[in-house]
Amino acid sequence: MSISFWNMPKPFVNKHVSVFNFAHIFFVCLTELTVTNKTRTRAVSLSNGSVDVLDLLQGWGSGVGTYDDFNTIDWVREKSKDRDRHREISRKRRQSITALLLSVSDAFSGWLLMLLIGLMSGALAGGIDIAAHWLTDLKEGVCLNGFWFNHEHCCWNSKETTFQERHRCPQWKSWAELTVGVTEGASAYVVNYLMYVIWALLFSFLAVFLVRAFAPYACGSGIPEIKTILSGFIIRGYLGKWTLVIKTITLVLAVASGLSLGKEGPLVHVACCCGNIFCHLFTKYRKNEAKRREVLSAASAVGVSVAFGAPIGGVLFSLEEVSYYFPLKTLWRSFFAALVAAFTLRSINPFGNSRLVLFYVEFHTPWHLLELFPFVLLGIFGGLWGALFIRANIAWCRRRKATRLGRYPVLEVAVVSLATAVLAFPNDYTRMSGSELISELFNDCSLLDSSKLCDYGPLAKGGEPAGNLSEGTVGQAERPAGPGVYTAVWQLAMALLFKMAITVVTFGMKVPSGLFIPSMAVGAVAGRLLGIGMEQLAYYHHDWDMFHGWCSPGAHCITPGLYAMLGAAACLGGVTRMTVSLVVIMFELTGGLEYIVPLMAAVMTSKWVADALGREGIYEAHIRLNGYPFLEPKEEFVHKTLATDVMRPRRSDPPLSVVTQDGMTVEELEGLISDTSYSGFPVVVSPESHRLVGFVLRRDLVISIDNARRCQEGIVGVSRVIFTEHTPVEAQGAPPPLNLRAILDLSPLAITDHTPMEITVDIFRKLGLRQCLVTQNGRLLGIITKKDILKHMAQMANRDPDSILFN
Amino acid sequence: MSISFWNMPKPFVNKHVSVFNFAHIFFVCLTELTVTNKTRTRAVSLSNGSVDVLDLLQGWGSGVGTYDDFNTIDWVREKSKDRDRHREISRKRRQSITALLLSVSDAFSGWLLMLLIGLMSGALAGGIDIAAHWLTDLKEGVCLNGFWFNHEHCCWNSKETTFQERHRCPQWKSWAELTVGVTEGASAYVVNYLMYVIWALLFSFLAVFLVRAFAPYACGSGIPEIKTILSGFIIRGYLGKWTLVIKTITLVLAVASGLSLGKEGPLVHVACCCGNIFCHLFTKYRKNEAKRREVLSAASAVGVSVAFGAPIGGVLFSLEEVSYYFPLKTLWRSFFAALVAAFTLRSINPFGNSRLVLFYVEFHTPWHLLELFPFVLLGIFGGLWGALFIRANIAWCRRRKATRLGRYPVLEVAVVSLATAVLAFPNDYTRMSGSELISELFNDCSLLDSSKLCDYGPLAKGGEPAGNLSEGTVGQAERPAGPGVYTAVWQLAMALLFKMAITVVTFGMKVPSGLFIPSMAVGAVAGRLLGIGMEQLAYYHHDWDMFHGWCSPGAHCITPGLYAMLGAAACLGGVTRMTVSLVVIMFELTGGLEYIVPLMAAVMTSKWVADALGREGIYEAHIRLNGYPFLEPKEEFVHKTLATDVMRPRRSDPPLSVVTQDGMTVEELEGLISDTSYSGFPVVVSPESHRLVGFVLRRDLVISIDNARRCQEGIVGVSRVIFTEHTPVEAQGAPPPLNLRAILDLSPLAITDHTPMEITVDIFRKLGLRQCLVTQNGRLLGIITKKDILKHMAQMANRDPDSILFN
């Protein structure tokens, strides 16, 4: 027995092989008879290795050159395949007008795909916004004009003038009004409370039920999995149509249920599903895993673009946070798709304000350099919260996996949702949805604002400590906090604690759940609190040194809304470790270069603080939790190990299983295949010399031998299998040999045993390798797979190397 | 004799070796005695290949591990060196507080560097703006309050109210007023004309003289060279302090001389010089070519940031257009540096409007979907102009190189500058500087505007074809063009032709010259003309079908300034082939998402049209013209050749020069070195087996043998040179062997001969290789260098393979 260096989940290995039915076999044999010869001659005449040939083999429909589920793709091979396809089209272009048109349509198919993804994602995002808004309002009451109107639309044509009164238009009935007929008092409160909790439970139950029943992949934010998929992993069905449908519906339900979650991460998943589904329309993208990943990178940009109305931020998010392979062509295309999506969303106009962005803010007061101090404080808070949240959430998720908790996901969601609803209703700031809360906190108080947060006392009453107020203009001046503000501060403080606790248990449940909005909400509350504190400090103590020179009495110098925005950015930065993309998203939200410096200060501090407490962002932590084979491009490998320390077989292991280029029979090969579970075998000149010739994949070998045994005449167990260029003449009476050079990869990458692991890791990352052979003085010594590298990295970081589950 | 597959410019080879003086030798020998043993033990005990050891060797001061001028760096080695350094610091960190502080300061040195670059570049850009503005005005007249005031500052305190009159304040005297005492009439015109031409000649002569005398590298835009440097090429002095000083001064002169050039490209060069100079302050960046290139990438973002006041656009420009290796860390740092620079520039406030951006525009009219048609037309124009310009300019530069023209650069500049001045003065739109022109063309006419371009006829005169004008509001309505507009149109048309012709001969002269402003000027003129045309069409023919429904009579529906902006973007896109970064720069200039769709339409069309006529942008074309070894990351290699077709030696060539690991004497090695000119030699087990052990660089070999001969006892010509791990025991009487394992690269990358070239090119690009060995069935067969690849690519594209001049 030899060691299992390239282990593959057994159940998947033979699935594709076993689906061969009779008709299929017949077809395969027919085509093979005509194709094999052509293939072989081409392979020989062009001496072009296996790459081109693999492509031809694919024509057999035999599955050569495709991948099993939960396996890693070979980027080099995929890109070669695409170049072959492209060459073929370019070659034909000069032959006929049809081919020319085909070539042109091929060139533009990428753009068409982007257009489709943008339109579809924009439309879906708009639909989700509208539906979530309606369902959220349904928890409070119903519209008499038609139950499908949300509160705002219901009161659209109301004649009341002020916003406050218009909000209470007669067409809109709260549940208490409808059932017990009163709008105020204890009974009305109890009825409304009850209805709120019941609706919340219903929505969340429906969401988790749909996820469990129809599309288990639709849960969570999806970003960790998308990162892994983009790095080259295969998870079949993760971006399928069922996932799309169920995720879209359950996202609406989950958001409406009032759970502490957002729709931003899931929107990225939805956009990627759209991307993946549209890929099936074009052969170029359907058949090539590498090309499809380019499209998915663009789709994730689209997701953020529609989530925030920030197309540039979306592209940078995809570049910085999600993508693995992001060529410049993709940059340009993602930008196009992100714009299309943003404009589609705007024309649907779900926020009803014809703004492209989710939280439109406009601040009028410039900030002062001294304010950088509280801004940095917010950054520190954000960093601490981010690091703490990640630890707590991961610990909770581990517990869910390890204990009985994980066996009752529906119950878990119901309990959390009940707790959320019961605790959230009494507090205005937790009762409203996350995005409404953020919107309100970002808002700068104008004089007409009726919100509690803007309930400031009258200007310059007698006896107030403020002295000379003649310079201050009305509405611009700093004012003392009124009773409303004090209530709001209390409620916000409670909301902060509540949100911090509930988000930890919410993220990771079996419902679609994004982290952006809850993280931002936590930060926005903290920021607003600090902002109000600073404002009142400036009002009551403007004679302090720190306010001297820039905050004269009666002037308006502190903008609490700005503090909220910075707090939100800092917390989001702490949790996700986004940097440039976060600043650009926030910049697109506020639309001014003015606040970029405070933003950078807050986000940078937050990242540094959070990194000091733990290197991983929430997405990387979840990737590791799930054991996906993800080679983090940002993490530097800093250890001094060599390739020889990582490669298999180890010193104590049995020798490497190899195939010789002309010394093995079909039977021997079949024995090797059944004795081992490796995904591939190196081919050497002879077992003695161990000089490397090429590499052959198990999957290809199994399929080819199978085909040959069924279709090629004279192939028996003792037939020699050869991988050389020229088929040697066999002795008289011996069965004809089976030449499998067509499936041999003649250009496997090999490194020497002295190659430092830092360089090896770099090579794996940059070239997107699946495995790499190790040689010493020209002799084959061993093999390193991506999984070996991940295990080694885990070991070096004192983590459990067995946490990496897949190939 | 063997072939010259890795040719190196001879003059440089021994320069560094020959500078050893006696004191140096003494020092080297002293340290070597103590270091060599340590080195060797470490090398053996850690078995870590050559990388770590090379770093130690550097301590000798012997130049091992550095590069010659006009050579390509080895990214893998540089990055390994940096990781070693980093590991060393991390290891020491736990030992003392000083080391901990050092480690922290090391971590923050990158940020400090960015801050310094941002501050310095911002300050320089501000200074250049102010000085160029002053000198430009000096061509027209002088300020009596002090000659150092420019026109605007001179009239700052003037009491005239309208802008027009304030511009003619009594303190500002034109040259005619000063010398002949009249302001109007033929004689005044002649005197002003003469003075204009004389100043222009003087400035341009000074510029070219300074460049020729002090810093030949200061000419041109610098972007092609910076691209090449960032890809790993070494051009000593290109980013040095002399280049910085001279480029800054001559840039001011060149811009002031009125030549058709801009300051944007050169500002990138200036910022990169700042970056390179500040790198010398930090060991981390001074000693590591790869780390330094990360800084330079950020610096080029800074350059664009200060050129346009567009920090995000600058970062994307660096990412899309200039950089080769752009890790995420650099993205974040460039963003920081770009912001610092932009804010430094703003606090200097050279444009006097406290705007961050060069051309601030604010449009009030939304665009209509039907307008996309003229926008696409502008894109086509931009693409055609871009492709045409590149061809004409390259043809002209080739001619300059090939003929006697190239020998008289000063004369050339003088003639072009004379022609420019003589032709430019009579036309208002060519007399003003490029950025003024663009500013004026982008501007939307308000009612108070006194420019000729805004001289529209009165509203709704009797007899005008416009019908019912009651709906139009004054100042918002479409109006007929007045005589001023007609004059302007004529002058603009002349200016367009003039700019198009003169820019072709100007770009590439021996003065600092950017292309952004001239390209944008051409586009802006064309766009404005089209815009005025559309506007008048809409005015006179608003009953046409195409205007139906969106352009009612008397409404203001066409914004000529927007057309100018789109034209500018299209032309710049056609010339440089920038995409996302261009759109983002323009978006930052205009500050609204409103116009992103027209911008994308124009830029995309322009890129497609230009690409159809020629794949290369102007920078790539100039890189190729100069024969720099630049492996274009955007260009796909589409041919079906194999590594064996490209590697040296060819079939007809003598065999590969190799070193055996233990079979050669010092004399033999010296013979090999003097007989060949290769930059390095593969080390094999034995000449028969040709099994690869490692790779040794010529430079390291020369230095080591030299050192050993001088310092190590008993090393004579017949001493054996060995590269094995354990030094074998020599026979009695034989001289002691010289073990050079320390300089052996034990992890050279090797590919098989069957590797398709597309994959090989990819590997070279992604890993930043300098050379790669080729094996067949485990035996060493040949070598491929970056130059071989570039030559092969040139050959495949039917270009002259000998155009690649450097290694």
Side-chain angles (χ1 to χ4, degrees), chain A residues 268-584:
Chain A
V268 172
H269 190 177
V270 165
C272 282
C273 288
C274 292
N276 189 48
I277 290 165
F278 283 125
C279 274
H280 285 279
L281 297 178
F282 304 93
T283 332
K284 183 175 173 180
Y285 296 100
R286 184 177 61 237
K287 287 207 177 162
N288 197 296
E289 296 288 344
K291 291 302 278 182
R292 204 189 302 173
R293 274 158 183 77
E294 288 177 24
V295 175
L296 295 181
S297 283
S300 59
V302 168
V304 173
S305 168
V306 290
F308 291 101
I312 303 174
V315 173
L316 288 174
F317 173 78
S318 174
L319 174 68
E320 185 184 352
E321 193 61 30
V322 189
S323 293
Y324 185 82
Y325 170 66
F326 203 88
L328 280 172
K329 211 164 61 183
T330 308
L331 184 73
W332 186 217
R333 289 190 179 170
S334 351
F335 192 54
F336 172 70
L339 270 175
V340 171
F343 276 85
T344 310
L345 182 62
R346 192 174 73 160
S347 53
I348 294 174
N349 195 7
F351 311 125
N353 55 2
S354 90
R355 295 282 179 202
L356 203 53
V357 301
L358 188 51
F359 318 111
Y360 184 79
V361 270
E362 212 170 333
F363 302 126
H364 302 285
T365 328
W367 56 278
H368 189 266
L369 215 61
L370 273 178
E371 282 187 281
L372 276 181
F373 180 69
F375 296 162
V376 165
L377 275 186
L378 282 178
I380 294 175
F381 171 78
L384 287 176
W385 155 249
L388 190 80
F389 172 79
I390 292 171
R391 289 201 181 190
N393 182 253
I394 291 296
W396 182 255
C397 287
R398 258 188 223 294
R399 158 161 301 224
R400 182 186 292 130
K401 274 192 157 182
T403 63
R404 294 198 333 196
L405 189 63
R407 269 180 270 158
Y408 308 105
V410 179
L411 189 68
E412 184 194 0
V413 170
V415 169
V416 171
S417 152
L418 182 70
T420 308
V422 168
L423 291 171
F425 186 83
N427 188 335
D428 282 350
Y429 293 105
T430 47
R431 195 193 306 176
M432 60 176 72
S433 74
S435 45
E436 272 174 354
L437 172 63
I438 295 171
S439 220
E440 172 134 5
L441 293 171
F442 279 14
N443 191 26
D444 196 14
C445 286
S446 66
L447 273 188
L448 292 171
D449 231 312
S450 59
S451 140
K452 258 189 299 184
L453 273 171
C454 298
D455 176 29
Y456 285 93
L459 262 169
K461 267 189 194 158
E464 292 286 356
N468 170 22
L469 275 176
S470 58
E471 288 169 40
T473 48
V474 180
Q476 281 291 316
E478 213 81 272
R479 286 172 298 159
V485 173
Y486 283 111
T487 324
V489 165
W490 255 114
Q491 289 186 332
L492 282 178
M494 297 309 296
L496 182 62
L497 292 178
F498 168 70
K499 285 262 172 199
M500 283 169 81
I502 204 79
T503 308
V504 170
V505 292
T506 306
F507 188 71
M509 290 197 312
K510 296 281 172 216
V511 287
S513 57
L515 251 187
F516 279 34
I517 294 284
S519 308
M520 284 173 79
V522 166
V525 172
R528 187 81 189 201
L529 287 175
L530 184 64
I532 294 175
M534 283 295 291
E535 189 191 40
Q536 294 307 310
L537 204 67
Y539 176 72
Y540 287 109
H541 301 285
H542 46 72
D543 47 344
W544 282 10
D545 270 356
M546 52 181 277
F547 296 115
H548 190 73
W550 62 283
C551 196
S552 55
H556 182 62
C557 25
I558 308 270
T559 313
L562 175 63
Y563 283 72
M565 194 185 84
L566 295 176
C571 281
L572 187 51
V575 171
T576 60
R577 310 294 158 84
M578 285 155 64
T579 54
V580 182
S581 46
L582 181 56
V583 173
V584 172

Side-chain angles (χ1 to χ4, degrees), chain A residues 225-253:
Chain A
E225 285 80 11
I226 288 167
K227 275 189 84 160
T228 316
I229 289 175
L230 286 179
S231 82
F233 195 55
I234 302 235
I235 310 180
R236 292 210 194 284
Y238 197 83
L239 301 174
K241 50 186 178 305
W242 269 112
T243 312
L244 174 64
V245 171
I246 297 299
K247 187 127 194 178
T248 309
I249 296 170
T250 53
L251 178 57
V252 170
L253 291 168

Side-chain angles (χ1 to χ4, degrees), chain B residues 531-723:
Chain B
I532 294 175
M534 283 295 291
E535 188 192 39
Q536 294 305 309
L537 203 67
Y539 176 71
Y540 287 109
H541 302 284
H542 46 72
D543 47 346
W544 282 10
D545 271 356
M546 53 181 277
F547 296 115
H548 190 74
W550 61 282
C551 197
S552 55
H556 182 61
C557 25
I558 307 272
T559 313
L562 175 63
Y563 283 73
M565 194 186 83
L566 295 176
C571 280
L572 187 51
V575 171
T576 61
R577 310 293 158 84
M578 284 155 63
T579 52
V580 182
S581 46
L582 182 56
V583 172
V584 173
I585 287 173
M586 285 292 174
F587 156 75
E588 284 187 86
L589 289 184
T590 56
L593 274 173
E594 299 286 318
Y595 301 106
I596 275 201
V597 171
L599 262 175
M600 281 205 64
V603 171
M604 219 141 79
T605 318
S606 150
K607 187 177 158 68
W608 283 339
V609 170
D611 274 354
L613 297 171
R615 295 291 302 178
E616 290 177 325
I618 186 77
Y619 301 130
E620 288 84 51
H622 271 262
I623 285 174
R624 201 152 57 69
L625 181 76
N626 292 325
Y628 296 130
F630 181 72
L631 209 50
E632 178 58 55
K634 285 175 231 169
E635 196 187 333
E636 288 257 320
F637 184 82
V638 290
H639 305 283
K640 280 187 81 80
T641 44
L642 297 180
T644 183
D645 305 329
V646 179
M647 71 169 193
R648 307 300 184 96
R650 309 261 171 188
R651 244 155 249 192
S652 55
D653 287 334
L656 190 68
S657 301
V658 293
V659 173
T660 52
Q661 68 172 352
D662 54 4
M664 288 175 89
T665 62
V666 170
E667 261 173 359
E668 280 168 355
L669 266 181
E670 282 171 337
L672 183 70
I673 290 166
S674 63
D675 286 350
T676 60
S677 59
Y678 312 143
S679 291
F681 306 94
V683 177
V684 296
V685 173
S686 67
E688 300 78 39
S689 78
H690 255 240
R691 286 194 289 126
L692 181 67
V693 174
F695 193 80
V696 63
L697 286 176
R698 176 202 190 85
R699 195 182 156 82
D700 295 350
L701 206 56
V702 168
I703 295 170
S704 306
I705 293 182
D706 214 46
N707 276 345
R709 277 226 183 222
R710 274 182 289 103
C711 310
Q712 206 170 320
E713 223 168 294
I715 295 298
V716 289
V718 293
S719 299
R720 267 219 291 172
V721 177
I722 51 169
F723 293 94

Side-chain angles (χ1 to χ4, degrees), chain B residues 387-400:
Chain B
L388 190 80
F389 171 80
I390 292 170
R391 288 201 182 189
N393 181 255
I394 291 295
W396 180 256
C397 287
R398 259 187 223 293
R399 158 162 298 226
R400 183 187 289 129

Side-chain angles (χ1 to χ4, degrees), chain A residues 579-602:
Chain A
T579 54
V580 182
S581 46
L582 181 56
V583 173
V584 172
I585 287 173
M586 285 292 175
F587 156 76
E588 285 187 87
L589 289 184
T590 56
L593 272 173
E594 300 286 319
Y595 301 107
I596 276 201
V597 171
L599 262 175
M600 282 205 62

